Amino acid sequence: MSVLEIRDLHVSVETEQGSKEILRGVNLTINQGETHAIMGPNGSGKSTLAYAIAGHPKYRITSGSITLDGEEMTELTVDARARAGLFLAMQYPVEIPGVTVTNFLRTAKTAIDGTAPPIRTWVKDVRNSMEALRMDKTFAERNVNEGFSGGEKKRNEILQLELLKPKFAVLDETDSGLDVDALKIVSEGVNRAKENTDLGVLLITHYNRILKYITPDFVHVFVAGRVVESGGPELAVQLENEGYDVYVAANAEAIAADAAAADAASISAPAL
């Protein structure tokens, strides 16, 4: 069984005011076949976690580790992480003018597997996945995400997920911008991928509504760059009913205490 482990992960980004720490010691263990939901308020660092796992160069890992089956990911390039078995479904999928969906998928599959998939079976797999996702067959010859609606872009992300067959998928607010029908279709695609490949899922969301279709094994509350509480599916219902205020207030006190301790340590440190 494959395991994705995140240990004491600290991540910073460069801003006009200098380096800013976003993740402050994230710890997570995701086994293949499990679904973990990350829920938290805006600006808590959820998307930063997603991009740090995928290897986005904007996000600098200052300490900690991300390992997949014991192999350290933090020093690998984005494409090397994909070949190792990581997949990111982006919150805002980008358009790729001049590259058709068909060419993109086949090129990606070849890069990940090391060999091109047999044409006959590949065409059948693409067609079947598109039909299951209620995607018109003409989308195969359109440029990636160009002119796609928000829902069509999200379906295209799940099409990639089904065909590329990663070990672990990070879904960054895949439910945002989806109506009820599209939400159900996308969720069904994620569930199919889990059934067919024992996929491990890290699902980032604000709301409980997608968790009515993709049942999580674990729910984690994410506030100010760290996991502050974990539980089962019932925790998502609690968050929807009560919000994050209690966790935000408690964490603000913890951050203030950390800052005070850091200041005290710097004052008491001997001059060199």
Side-chain angles (χ1 to χ4, degrees):
M1 177 183 290
S2 290
V3 180
L4 177 64
E5 291 189 278
I6 302 169
R7 288 287 171 264
D8 195 26
L9 187 66
H10 292 251
V11 174
S12 296
V13 296
E14 292 300 322
T15 69
E16 293 181 354
Q17 290 74 39
S19 181
K20 179 180 179 181
E21 186 175 47
I22 305 296
L23 301 187
R24 300 180 174 91
V26 177
N27 291 286
L28 281 174
T29 299
I30 306 171
N31 294 306
Q32 201 165 8
E34 293 179 348
T35 296
H36 291 243
I38 295 280
M39 302 183 71
N42 285 326
S44 59
K46 302 185 302 297
S47 290
T48 296
L49 175 61
Y51 287 124
I53 292 171
H56 195 300
K58 176 183 175 181
Y59 301 92
R60 184 168 58 90
I61 296 174
T62 55
S63 64
S65 67
I66 303 170
T67 60
L68 175 53
D69 296 337
E71 180 183 3
E72 183 61 56
M73 296 284 106
T74 56
E75 298 301 323
L76 298 183
T77 58
V78 174
D79 58 307
R81 297 186 198 200
R83 286 194 295 272
L86 295 179
F87 176 90
L88 171 65
M90 293 182 286
Q91 182 178 358
Y92 304 108
V94 298
E95 297 182 1
I96 310 178
V99 180
T100 66
V101 169
T102 295
N103 287 339
F104 176 82
L105 289 170
R106 185 168 170 79
T107 300
K109 184 67 171 176
T110 300
I112 287 173
D113 291 355
T115 57
I119 286 290
R120 182 172 298 178
T121 56
W122 176 249
V123 170
K124 181 180 178 181
D125 289 344
V126 172
R127 183 175 61 248
N128 289 343
S129 290
M130 290 185 70
E131 288 177 355
L133 289 165
R134 302 353 179 241
M135 294 179 69
D136 190 284
K137 61 183 180 181
T138 59
F139 276 79
E141 300 308 319
R142 291 176 60 178
N143 292 338
V144 176
N145 293 326
E146 195 171 45
F148 287 23
S149 68
E152 288 163 351
K153 289 180 179 180
K154 296 301 177 73
R155 294 188 202 193
N156 192 38
E157 293 283 282
I158 303 306
L159 176 66
Q160 297 167 42
L161 172 65
E162 288 199 74
L163 293 170
L164 299 181
K165 295 179 170 55
K167 295 178 181 178
F168 293 93
V170 180
L171 310 181
D172 187 15
E173 297 195 31
T174 297
D175 54 336
S176 66
L178 297 183
D179 60 28
V180 174
D181 290 334
L183 179 64
K184 291 175 66 176
I185 292 169
V186 164
S187 299
E188 288 168 0
V190 175
N191 290 331
R192 273 196 308 276
K194 283 196 64 180
E195 292 169 4
N196 294 333
T197 64
D198 205 25
L199 176 74
V201 176
L202 180 60
L203 174 61
I204 296 171
T205 183
H206 285 296
Y207 307 109
N208 184 44
R209 64 177 194 147
I210 193 172
L211 303 182
K212 296 176 182 177
Y213 303 105
I214 303 174
T215 304
D217 299 291
F218 304 94
V219 174
H220 308 282
V221 183
F222 206 76
V223 175
R226 62 180 64 158
V227 174
V228 297
E229 186 166 332
S230 298
E234 70 283 350
L235 180 55
V237 178
Q238 176 189 322
L239 291 171
E240 185 171 59
N241 292 332
E242 301 177 5
Y244 303 104
D245 287 350
V246 171
Y247 298 103
V248 171
N251 198 69
E253 295 174 3
I255 291 175
D258 289 347
D263 289 342
S266 64
I267 292 172
S268 63
L272 299 178

